[in-house]
């Protein structure tokens, strides 16, 4: 085995270990650990030029459960803003993949969200759409955000599903 292939194997191994650490820390039961991990993840994402789709899906699953664990409305709002802000923090070459990972995670996990947590996930989707539409000014997403704000309390799952599937 050459040293070059060994170095590649070590890099892959370290990458896998880092992903396991991200997931554990993002889904940790202590708020301080989750908050610190999201902050570190923001910096790390800005430096990553080539994340695979699988890596992004793993990160979003951890972020999903990080948000799942958040309690109390002000904490949820702050965390939703921080998570949505990760979209713009990602390296420009990875932003599209990161957004796609967000939508794929929401589609995959949406059916398992209980009615008590549904409102906070609507908030996460709304804030994420705002962060996605800010730099691009996509009219259709901007309109979707307008509709979300207008129908905030009477929004239905189908609106979210339609928007998510449209951009996948």
């Amino acid at each position: 085995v050459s040293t070059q292939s060994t170095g590649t194997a070590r890099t892959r191994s370290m990458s896998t270990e880092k992903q396991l650490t991200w997931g554990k820390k993002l889904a940790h039961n202590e708020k301080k650990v989750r908050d610190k991990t999201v902050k570190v993840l923001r910096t790390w994402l800005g430096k990553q030029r080539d994340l695979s789709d699988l890596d992004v899906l793993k990160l979003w699953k951890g972020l999903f459960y990080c948000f799942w664990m958040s309690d109390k409305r002000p904490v949820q709002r702050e965390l939703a803003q921080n998570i949505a802000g990760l979209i713009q923090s990602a390296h420009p070459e990875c932003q599209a993949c990161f957004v796609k990972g967000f939508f794929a995670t929401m589609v995959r996990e949406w059916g398992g969200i209980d009615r008590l947590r549904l409102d906070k996930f609507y908030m996460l989707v709304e804030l994420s759409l705002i962060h996605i539409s800010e730099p691009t000014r996509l009219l259709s997403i901007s309109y979707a955000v307008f509709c979300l704000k207008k129908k905030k309390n009477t929004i239905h799952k189908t609106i979210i599903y339609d928007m998510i599937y449209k951009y996948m």
Side-chain angles (χ1 to χ4, degrees), residues 40-89:
V40 171
L41 181 60
R42 177 182 305 280
T43 305
W44 184 82
L45 277 173
K47 298 175 185 176
Q48 303 306 307
R49 290 177 176 246
D50 57 344
L51 287 173
S52 71
D53 290 343
L54 183 60
D55 291 340
V56 170
L57 289 174
K58 288 177 182 180
L59 284 174
W60 271 113
K61 187 165 191 168
L63 288 165
F64 179 88
Y65 285 103
C66 177
F67 194 63
W68 179 280
M69 299 286 287
S70 66
D71 294 329
K72 299 184 181 144
R73 197 72 169 160
V75 172
Q76 294 166 358
R77 181 129 188 107
E78 180 184 354
L79 184 57
Q81 288 172 336
N82 289 337
I83 290 174
L86 289 175
I87 294 168
Q88 291 176 343
S89 297

Short mmCIF file of all heavy atoms in Angstrom, two decimals, residues 40-89:
data_model
loop_
_atom_site.label_atom_id
_atom_site.label_comp_id
_atom_site.label_asym_id
_atom_site.label_seq_id
_atom_site.Cartn_x
_atom_site.Cartn_y
_atom_site.Cartn_z
N VAL A 40 -19.63 26.26 15.30
CA VAL A 40 -18.43 25.70 14.69
C VAL A 40 -18.74 25.20 13.27
O VAL A 40 -17.94 25.37 12.34
CB VAL A 40 -17.84 24.57 15.56
CG1 VAL A 40 -16.72 23.84 14.86
CG2 VAL A 40 -17.36 25.14 16.90
N LEU A 41 -19.92 24.61 13.11
CA LEU A 41 -20.33 24.10 11.80
C LEU A 41 -20.42 25.24 10.78
O LEU A 41 -20.05 25.07 9.62
CB LEU A 41 -21.67 23.38 11.91
CG LEU A 41 -22.24 22.77 10.64
CD1 LEU A 41 -21.29 21.72 10.07
CD2 LEU A 41 -23.60 22.13 10.93
N ARG A 42 -20.88 26.40 11.21
CA ARG A 42 -20.98 27.57 10.32
C ARG A 42 -19.60 27.89 9.72
O ARG A 42 -19.47 28.09 8.52
CB ARG A 42 -21.52 28.77 11.09
CG ARG A 42 -21.57 30.05 10.27
CD ARG A 42 -22.07 31.22 11.07
NE ARG A 42 -23.34 31.01 11.70
CZ ARG A 42 -24.53 31.12 11.09
NH1 ARG A 42 -24.57 31.46 9.83
NH2 ARG A 42 -25.64 30.90 11.75
N THR A 43 -18.59 27.94 10.56
CA THR A 43 -17.23 28.24 10.10
C THR A 43 -16.71 27.13 9.20
O THR A 43 -16.13 27.38 8.15
CB THR A 43 -16.29 28.42 11.31
OG1 THR A 43 -16.84 29.42 12.16
CG2 THR A 43 -14.90 28.83 10.88
N TRP A 44 -16.92 25.89 9.63
CA TRP A 44 -16.44 24.73 8.88
C TRP A 44 -17.06 24.67 7.49
O TRP A 44 -16.38 24.38 6.50
CB TRP A 44 -16.75 23.46 9.69
CG TRP A 44 -16.23 22.20 9.07
CD1 TRP A 44 -14.97 21.71 9.16
CD2 TRP A 44 -16.99 21.26 8.31
NE1 TRP A 44 -14.88 20.52 8.49
CE2 TRP A 44 -16.11 20.22 7.96
CE3 TRP A 44 -18.31 21.19 7.89
CZ2 TRP A 44 -16.51 19.13 7.20
CZ3 TRP A 44 -18.71 20.11 7.13
CH2 TRP A 44 -17.81 19.09 6.80
N LEU A 45 -18.37 24.93 7.38
CA LEU A 45 -19.05 24.87 6.09
C LEU A 45 -18.50 25.88 5.10
O LEU A 45 -18.45 25.62 3.90
CB LEU A 45 -20.55 25.13 6.27
CG LEU A 45 -21.39 23.95 6.69
CD1 LEU A 45 -22.81 24.41 6.99
CD2 LEU A 45 -21.41 22.87 5.63
N GLY A 46 -18.09 27.03 5.59
CA GLY A 46 -17.54 28.05 4.71
C GLY A 46 -16.23 27.65 4.06
O GLY A 46 -15.84 28.20 3.03
N LYS A 47 -15.56 26.66 4.63
CA LYS A 47 -14.26 26.20 4.12
C LYS A 47 -14.37 24.96 3.25
O LYS A 47 -13.39 24.56 2.63
CB LYS A 47 -13.32 25.92 5.29
CG LYS A 47 -13.03 27.14 6.14
CD LYS A 47 -12.19 26.77 7.34
CE LYS A 47 -11.99 27.97 8.25
NZ LYS A 47 -11.26 27.61 9.47
N GLN A 48 -15.52 24.33 3.22
CA GLN A 48 -15.68 23.06 2.49
C GLN A 48 -16.11 23.31 1.06
O GLN A 48 -17.21 23.78 0.81
CB GLN A 48 -16.70 22.16 3.20
CG GLN A 48 -16.37 21.86 4.63
CD GLN A 48 -14.98 21.29 4.81
OE1 GLN A 48 -14.61 20.31 4.17
NE2 GLN A 48 -14.20 21.90 5.68
N ARG A 49 -15.22 22.98 0.13
CA ARG A 49 -15.53 23.20 -1.29
C ARG A 49 -16.23 22.01 -1.92
O ARG A 49 -16.96 22.18 -2.89
CB ARG A 49 -14.25 23.46 -2.08
CG ARG A 49 -13.62 24.78 -1.77
CD ARG A 49 -12.32 24.91 -2.54
NE ARG A 49 -11.78 26.23 -2.31
CZ ARG A 49 -11.67 27.15 -3.26
NH1 ARG A 49 -12.04 26.88 -4.48
NH2 ARG A 49 -11.19 28.33 -2.97
N ASP A 50 -15.98 20.84 -1.42
CA ASP A 50 -16.52 19.65 -2.08
C ASP A 50 -17.14 18.68 -1.07
O ASP A 50 -16.52 17.75 -0.62
CB ASP A 50 -15.44 18.94 -2.90
CG ASP A 50 -14.23 18.55 -2.07
OD1 ASP A 50 -14.08 19.08 -0.95
OD2 ASP A 50 -13.45 17.71 -2.52
N LEU A 51 -18.37 18.94 -0.72
CA LEU A 51 -19.12 18.03 0.14
C LEU A 51 -19.96 17.14 -0.75
O LEU A 51 -20.62 17.62 -1.68
CB LEU A 51 -20.03 18.81 1.08
CG LEU A 51 -19.37 19.56 2.23
CD1 LEU A 51 -20.40 20.43 2.95
CD2 LEU A 51 -18.74 18.59 3.20
N SER A 52 -19.97 15.86 -0.47
CA SER A 52 -20.81 14.95 -1.25
C SER A 52 -22.26 15.11 -0.82
O SER A 52 -22.55 15.63 0.26
CB SER A 52 -20.34 13.51 -1.05
OG SER A 52 -20.67 13.07 0.26
N ASP A 53 -23.15 14.64 -1.66
CA ASP A 53 -24.57 14.69 -1.32
C ASP A 53 -24.84 13.93 -0.03
O ASP A 53 -25.63 14.36 0.80
CB ASP A 53 -25.43 14.11 -2.46
CG ASP A 53 -25.45 15.01 -3.68
OD1 ASP A 53 -25.08 16.19 -3.57
OD2 ASP A 53 -25.85 14.52 -4.76
N LEU A 54 -24.17 12.79 0.13
CA LEU A 54 -24.35 11.99 1.34
C LEU A 54 -23.88 12.74 2.58
O LEU A 54 -24.55 12.72 3.62
CB LEU A 54 -23.62 10.65 1.20
CG LEU A 54 -23.77 9.68 2.37
CD1 LEU A 54 -25.24 9.31 2.58
CD2 LEU A 54 -22.94 8.44 2.13
N ASP A 55 -22.74 13.42 2.48
CA ASP A 55 -22.23 14.21 3.61
C ASP A 55 -23.24 15.29 4.00
O ASP A 55 -23.49 15.52 5.18
CB ASP A 55 -20.90 14.87 3.26
CG ASP A 55 -19.75 13.87 3.12
OD1 ASP A 55 -19.88 12.75 3.64
OD2 ASP A 55 -18.74 14.23 2.48
N VAL A 56 -23.79 15.97 2.99
CA VAL A 56 -24.76 17.03 3.25
C VAL A 56 -26.02 16.46 3.91
O VAL A 56 -26.55 17.05 4.86
CB VAL A 56 -25.10 17.78 1.94
CG1 VAL A 56 -26.27 18.72 2.14
CG2 VAL A 56 -23.88 18.54 1.45
N LEU A 57 -26.49 15.33 3.43
CA LEU A 57 -27.68 14.71 4.03
C LEU A 57 -27.43 14.32 5.48
O LEU A 57 -28.32 14.48 6.33
CB LEU A 57 -28.12 13.49 3.22
CG LEU A 57 -28.74 13.79 1.86
CD1 LEU A 57 -28.99 12.50 1.08
CD2 LEU A 57 -30.02 14.59 2.00
N LYS A 58 -26.23 13.84 5.77
CA LYS A 58 -25.90 13.50 7.15
C LYS A 58 -25.89 14.74 8.04
O LYS A 58 -26.39 14.72 9.17
CB LYS A 58 -24.55 12.79 7.22
CG LYS A 58 -24.58 11.38 6.67
CD LYS A 58 -23.20 10.76 6.71
CE LYS A 58 -23.19 9.37 6.12
NZ LYS A 58 -21.85 8.78 6.15
N LEU A 59 -25.31 15.82 7.52
CA LEU A 59 -25.30 17.07 8.29
C LEU A 59 -26.73 17.57 8.54
O LEU A 59 -27.07 17.98 9.64
CB LEU A 59 -24.51 18.14 7.55
CG LEU A 59 -22.99 18.02 7.61
CD1 LEU A 59 -22.34 19.06 6.70
CD2 LEU A 59 -22.49 18.17 9.03
N TRP A 60 -27.57 17.53 7.50
CA TRP A 60 -28.94 18.02 7.67
C TRP A 60 -29.75 17.14 8.61
O TRP A 60 -30.62 17.63 9.32
CB TRP A 60 -29.64 18.17 6.32
CG TRP A 60 -29.41 19.52 5.74
CD1 TRP A 60 -28.69 19.82 4.62
CD2 TRP A 60 -29.85 20.77 6.28
NE1 TRP A 60 -28.67 21.18 4.44
CE2 TRP A 60 -29.38 21.79 5.44
CE3 TRP A 60 -30.60 21.14 7.39
CZ2 TRP A 60 -29.63 23.15 5.67
CZ3 TRP A 60 -30.86 22.48 7.62
CH2 TRP A 60 -30.39 23.47 6.77
N LYS A 61 -29.47 15.85 8.62
CA LYS A 61 -30.18 15.00 9.58
C LYS A 61 -29.80 15.39 11.01
O LYS A 61 -30.66 15.49 11.89
CB LYS A 61 -29.88 13.52 9.35
CG LYS A 61 -30.73 12.61 10.20
CD LYS A 61 -30.70 11.19 9.73
CE LYS A 61 -31.77 10.40 10.46
NZ LYS A 61 -31.98 9.09 9.87
N GLY A 62 -28.53 15.67 11.23
CA GLY A 62 -28.10 16.14 12.54
C GLY A 62 -28.73 17.48 12.88
O GLY A 62 -29.18 17.71 14.01
N LEU A 63 -28.79 18.39 11.91
CA LEU A 63 -29.41 19.70 12.13
C LEU A 63 -30.91 19.56 12.40
O LEU A 63 -31.47 20.28 13.22
CB LEU A 63 -29.16 20.61 10.93
CG LEU A 63 -27.73 21.11 10.78
CD1 LEU A 63 -27.50 21.69 9.40
CD2 LEU A 63 -27.40 22.13 11.87
N PHE A 64 -31.55 18.63 11.71
CA PHE A 64 -32.97 18.39 11.93
C PHE A 64 -33.21 17.99 13.38
O PHE A 64 -34.09 18.53 14.05
CB PHE A 64 -33.48 17.28 10.99
CG PHE A 64 -34.93 16.94 11.16
CD1 PHE A 64 -35.89 17.63 10.46
CD2 PHE A 64 -35.33 15.94 12.04
CE1 PHE A 64 -37.25 17.34 10.62
CE2 PHE A 64 -36.66 15.63 12.20
CZ PHE A 64 -37.63 16.34 11.49
N TYR A 65 -32.42 17.07 13.89
CA TYR A 65 -32.62 16.62 15.27
C TYR A 65 -32.11 17.64 16.29
O TYR A 65 -32.60 17.69 17.41
CB TYR A 65 -32.03 15.22 15.48
CG TYR A 65 -32.95 14.21 14.85
CD1 TYR A 65 -32.65 13.62 13.62
CD2 TYR A 65 -34.17 13.91 15.43
CE1 TYR A 65 -33.53 12.74 13.02
CE2 TYR A 65 -35.06 13.03 14.83
CZ TYR A 65 -34.73 12.45 13.62
OH TYR A 65 -35.62 11.59 13.02
N CYS A 66 -31.17 18.46 15.88
CA CYS A 66 -30.77 19.59 16.73
C CYS A 66 -31.98 20.50 16.95
O CYS A 66 -32.27 20.90 18.07
CB CYS A 66 -29.64 20.35 16.05
SG CYS A 66 -29.08 21.82 16.91
N PHE A 67 -32.68 20.77 15.88
CA PHE A 67 -33.86 21.63 15.97
C PHE A 67 -35.00 20.91 16.71
O PHE A 67 -35.74 21.51 17.47
CB PHE A 67 -34.30 22.06 14.57
CG PHE A 67 -35.28 23.18 14.58
CD1 PHE A 67 -34.93 24.43 15.09
CD2 PHE A 67 -36.56 23.02 14.10
CE1 PHE A 67 -35.83 25.47 15.11
CE2 PHE A 67 -37.47 24.06 14.10
CZ PHE A 67 -37.10 25.29 14.62
N TRP A 68 -35.12 19.62 16.48
CA TRP A 68 -36.14 18.80 17.15
C TRP A 68 -36.01 18.93 18.67
O TRP A 68 -37.00 19.00 19.39
CB TRP A 68 -35.95 17.35 16.73
CG TRP A 68 -36.90 16.37 17.33
CD1 TRP A 68 -36.87 15.81 18.58
CD2 TRP A 68 -38.05 15.80 16.70
NE1 TRP A 68 -37.89 14.94 18.76
CE2 TRP A 68 -38.65 14.91 17.62
CE3 TRP A 68 -38.63 15.94 15.45
CZ2 TRP A 68 -39.79 14.17 17.31
CZ3 TRP A 68 -39.76 15.21 15.15
CH2 TRP A 68 -40.33 14.34 16.08
N MET A 69 -34.76 18.98 19.15
CA MET A 69 -34.50 19.00 20.59
C MET A 69 -34.73 20.38 21.22
O MET A 69 -34.74 20.50 22.43
CB MET A 69 -33.05 18.58 20.86
CG MET A 69 -32.69 17.19 20.40
SD MET A 69 -33.38 15.93 21.43
CE MET A 69 -32.35 16.09 22.86
N SER A 70 -34.90 21.41 20.41
CA SER A 70 -35.04 22.76 20.96
C SER A 70 -36.41 22.97 21.59
O SER A 70 -37.42 22.54 21.04
CB SER A 70 -34.78 23.82 19.89
OG SER A 70 -35.77 23.77 18.90
N ASP A 71 -36.42 23.60 22.73
CA ASP A 71 -37.66 23.89 23.45
C ASP A 71 -37.81 25.40 23.61
O ASP A 71 -36.85 26.14 23.48
CB ASP A 71 -37.64 23.25 24.84
CG ASP A 71 -37.65 21.73 24.77
OD1 ASP A 71 -38.22 21.19 23.82
OD2 ASP A 71 -37.07 21.10 25.67
N LYS A 72 -38.98 25.81 23.91
CA LYS A 72 -39.34 27.22 24.16
C LYS A 72 -39.19 28.06 22.89
O LYS A 72 -38.21 27.99 22.19
CB LYS A 72 -38.53 27.80 25.31
CG LYS A 72 -38.79 27.06 26.61
CD LYS A 72 -38.07 27.69 27.75
CE LYS A 72 -38.36 26.87 29.00
NZ LYS A 72 -37.27 26.77 29.89
N ARG A 73 -40.18 28.85 22.66
CA ARG A 73 -40.30 29.62 21.42
C ARG A 73 -39.09 30.52 21.11
O ARG A 73 -38.60 30.48 19.97
CB ARG A 73 -41.60 30.45 21.50
CG ARG A 73 -42.06 30.96 20.19
CD ARG A 73 -42.60 29.83 19.37
NE ARG A 73 -43.27 30.39 18.21
CZ ARG A 73 -43.52 29.71 17.14
NH1 ARG A 73 -43.19 28.44 17.06
NH2 ARG A 73 -44.13 30.25 16.11
N PRO A 74 -38.57 31.31 22.04
CA PRO A 74 -37.42 32.17 21.69
C PRO A 74 -36.18 31.35 21.30
O PRO A 74 -35.45 31.73 20.38
CB PRO A 74 -37.15 32.96 22.97
CG PRO A 74 -38.39 32.88 23.77
CD PRO A 74 -39.06 31.59 23.40
N VAL A 75 -35.96 30.24 21.97
CA VAL A 75 -34.83 29.36 21.66
C VAL A 75 -35.01 28.76 20.27
O VAL A 75 -34.07 28.71 19.47
CB VAL A 75 -34.69 28.25 22.72
CG1 VAL A 75 -33.65 27.22 22.31
CG2 VAL A 75 -34.35 28.84 24.07
N GLN A 76 -36.23 28.35 19.96
CA GLN A 76 -36.52 27.76 18.65
C GLN A 76 -36.30 28.78 17.54
O GLN A 76 -35.72 28.46 16.50
CB GLN A 76 -37.96 27.26 18.61
CG GLN A 76 -38.22 26.10 19.52
CD GLN A 76 -39.70 25.82 19.71
OE1 GLN A 76 -40.56 26.53 19.18
NE2 GLN A 76 -40.01 24.78 20.46
N ARG A 77 -36.76 30.00 17.77
CA ARG A 77 -36.61 31.05 16.74
C ARG A 77 -35.13 31.36 16.49
O ARG A 77 -34.71 31.47 15.35
CB ARG A 77 -37.33 32.32 17.18
CG ARG A 77 -37.25 33.42 16.16
CD ARG A 77 -38.63 33.96 15.87
NE ARG A 77 -38.62 34.87 14.77
CZ ARG A 77 -39.09 34.59 13.57
NH1 ARG A 77 -39.62 33.41 13.33
NH2 ARG A 77 -39.07 35.45 12.60
N GLU A 78 -34.37 31.50 17.56
CA GLU A 78 -32.94 31.78 17.40
C GLU A 78 -32.23 30.65 16.67
O GLU A 78 -31.43 30.87 15.76
CB GLU A 78 -32.30 32.00 18.78
CG GLU A 78 -30.81 32.30 18.71
CD GLU A 78 -30.17 32.41 20.09
OE1 GLU A 78 -30.87 32.38 21.10
OE2 GLU A 78 -28.93 32.51 20.11
N LEU A 79 -32.53 29.41 17.06
CA LEU A 79 -31.91 28.27 16.42
C LEU A 79 -32.35 28.15 14.96
O LEU A 79 -31.53 27.85 14.09
CB LEU A 79 -32.23 26.98 17.18
CG LEU A 79 -31.55 25.71 16.66
CD1 LEU A 79 -30.03 25.86 16.65
CD2 LEU A 79 -31.96 24.51 17.51
N ALA A 80 -33.61 28.41 14.68
CA ALA A 80 -34.09 28.37 13.29
C ALA A 80 -33.35 29.40 12.45
O ALA A 80 -32.96 29.11 11.31
CB ALA A 80 -35.60 28.63 13.25
N GLN A 81 -33.12 30.59 13.00
CA GLN A 81 -32.37 31.61 12.27
C GLN A 81 -30.92 31.18 12.05
O GLN A 81 -30.37 31.37 10.97
CB GLN A 81 -32.41 32.94 13.02
CG GLN A 81 -33.77 33.60 12.96
CD GLN A 81 -33.88 34.83 13.86
OE1 GLN A 81 -33.15 34.98 14.83
NE2 GLN A 81 -34.83 35.69 13.54
N ASN A 82 -30.32 30.57 13.06
CA ASN A 82 -28.94 30.10 12.93
C ASN A 82 -28.83 28.98 11.91
O ASN A 82 -27.90 28.95 11.10
CB ASN A 82 -28.39 29.64 14.28
CG ASN A 82 -28.13 30.79 15.22
OD1 ASN A 82 -27.95 31.92 14.79
ND2 ASN A 82 -28.15 30.51 16.50
N ILE A 83 -29.76 28.03 11.94
CA ILE A 83 -29.72 26.92 10.99
C ILE A 83 -29.99 27.42 9.57
O ILE A 83 -29.29 27.04 8.63
CB ILE A 83 -30.72 25.81 11.41
CG1 ILE A 83 -30.22 25.11 12.68
CG2 ILE A 83 -30.91 24.80 10.28
CD1 ILE A 83 -31.19 24.10 13.26
N ALA A 84 -30.99 28.27 9.41
CA ALA A 84 -31.28 28.83 8.09
C ALA A 84 -30.09 29.64 7.57
O ALA A 84 -29.79 29.63 6.37
CB ALA A 84 -32.53 29.69 8.15
N GLY A 85 -29.40 30.32 8.46
CA GLY A 85 -28.23 31.11 8.08
C GLY A 85 -27.07 30.26 7.60
O GLY A 85 -26.17 30.76 6.91
N LEU A 86 -27.06 28.98 7.96
CA LEU A 86 -25.99 28.09 7.49
C LEU A 86 -26.00 27.97 5.97
O LEU A 86 -24.96 27.73 5.35
CB LEU A 86 -26.15 26.69 8.11
CG LEU A 86 -25.85 26.57 9.60
CD1 LEU A 86 -26.17 25.16 10.09
CD2 LEU A 86 -24.41 26.93 9.90
N ILE A 87 -27.16 28.16 5.37
CA ILE A 87 -27.28 28.06 3.91
C ILE A 87 -26.36 29.08 3.25
O ILE A 87 -25.63 28.77 2.32
CB ILE A 87 -28.75 28.23 3.47
CG1 ILE A 87 -29.58 27.05 3.98
CG2 ILE A 87 -28.86 28.39 1.95
CD1 ILE A 87 -31.07 27.24 3.87
N GLN A 88 -26.39 30.31 3.74
CA GLN A 88 -25.54 31.35 3.17
C GLN A 88 -24.10 31.25 3.65
O GLN A 88 -23.20 31.78 3.02
CB GLN A 88 -26.10 32.73 3.49
CG GLN A 88 -27.39 33.00 2.76
CD GLN A 88 -28.01 34.33 3.14
OE1 GLN A 88 -27.65 34.92 4.16
NE2 GLN A 88 -28.95 34.80 2.33
N SER A 89 -23.88 30.54 4.75
CA SER A 89 -22.52 30.37 5.27
C SER A 89 -21.75 29.30 4.52
O SER A 89 -20.52 29.27 4.58
CB SER A 89 -22.56 29.99 6.75
OG SER A 89 -23.12 31.03 7.50
#
